[in-house]
Amino acid sequence: MIKGNLLYEGKAKTVFETDNPKELLIYFKDDATALNGEKHGIIEGKGVINNKLSEFFFKQLKDRGIKSHFVEKAGEREMIVKRLDMIKLEVVVRNIVAGSLVKRLGKEEGTPLTVPVVEYYYKSDELGDPMLNRYHIMALDLAKIDELNQMEHVAFSVNNILRELLKAKNVDLIDFKLEFGRFDGEVLLADEISPDNCRFWDTVTHEKLDKDRFRQDLGGVVEAYKEMLDRLTL
Ligand code: ADP
Ligand code: UDP
């Protein structure tokens, strides 16, 4: 595999072309942003951990029938993926109230939701990622109804699989964000699955083991990411 032209420099990852037109190389950086890009920092070693954790999760999901863009890990910070036509949505699944939901619902952080909730956000930095419903998505032609149904089905399946995997490691899955894209007529799971886009709490102490440590200036950020990697892979 040959690393080709830079295709896209994102906030947490850089995407390169490869010598295979159907594949891309994703490079995981240590950069972290929050508050719609207003807060920026470096979490030293984060890229290496997120690459490993994403590999772990995508492989576990594949074993349980969930297809993703993951092809192979190609270095400490590099992953080869299928080149997708990305759907401009962030698909969020929530089990427990946290983050933006605290204010929106007026519920205390940590309040369990009686059923998992799915939400869609328009992936648009200019608009600050507004929340959309299914009708907005269809009206904007961001995805077809069958694609939406597929994404929702996969999102809930991923929730069940990750909750089960994490429960065995004494971690609660509070919420997470997924992205999807099209490949040869199929909708595949894409991007990454890591403490950058999931909320993980220790089941007993409720200690935060995710990016909220950075967002809320709690300290011990990289230690928390490392703890997640160790619990899941050692
Ligand atoms: P952001 O765009 O929010 O700054 P990142 O820094 O994580 O996010 O950049 C990675 C970019 O790569 C994202 O825009 C994501 O949608 C895109 N991406 C992820 N997986 C794929 C894929 N398989 N094919 C094409 N683009 C992808
Ligand atoms: N999330 C994400 N990228 C975003 C916004 C949210 O990965 O641009 C994830 C976040 O890590 C959490 C879930 O989506 O696991 C729900 O986030 P929330 O809506 O509470 O947003 P926040 O207040 O964290 O910005």
Side-chain angles (χ1 to χ4, degrees), residues 169-182:
K169 307 292 177 179
N170 259 311
V171 175
D172 288 341
L173 180 60
I174 309 305
D175 56 30
F176 59 95
K177 181 266 294 180
L178 299 176
E179 291 186 29
F180 294 86
R182 305 176 182 96

Side-chain angles (χ1 to χ4, degrees), residues 78-137:
E78 288 104 350
M79 176 181 285
I80 303 293
V81 300
K82 289 179 179 149
R83 181 178 194 151
L84 308 188
D85 165 27
M86 292 302 288
I87 296 171
K88 289 193 181 320
L89 288 175
E90 299 194 337
V91 180
V92 169
V93 178
R94 303 177 180 273
N95 298 304
I96 290 175
V97 172
S100 61
L101 209 56
V102 173
K103 269 197 182 158
R104 185 145 33 91
L105 297 190
K107 295 269 182 208
E108 233 178 276
E109 182 185 67
T111 309
L113 294 161
T114 50
V115 292
V117 169
V118 67
E119 293 170 355
Y120 301 102
Y121 294 86
Y122 188 11
K123 210 170 145 56
S124 162
D125 285 338
E126 309 85 72
L127 299 176
D129 297 347
M131 186 157 72
L132 303 179
N133 68 30
R134 296 169 75 88
Y135 291 89
H136 297 120
I137 294 168

Side-chain angles (χ1 to χ4, degrees), residues 8-9 28 37 62 82 97 101 126 132 142 164 176 203 205 208 228 230:
Y8 176 77
E9 169 98 49
F28 287 76
K62 187 182 175 193
K82 289 179 179 149
V97 172
L101 209 56
E126 309 85 72
L132 303 179
L142 295 175
E164 204 58 38
F176 59 95
T203 303
T205 64
K208 292 176 178 168
M228 281 307 302
D230 289 349

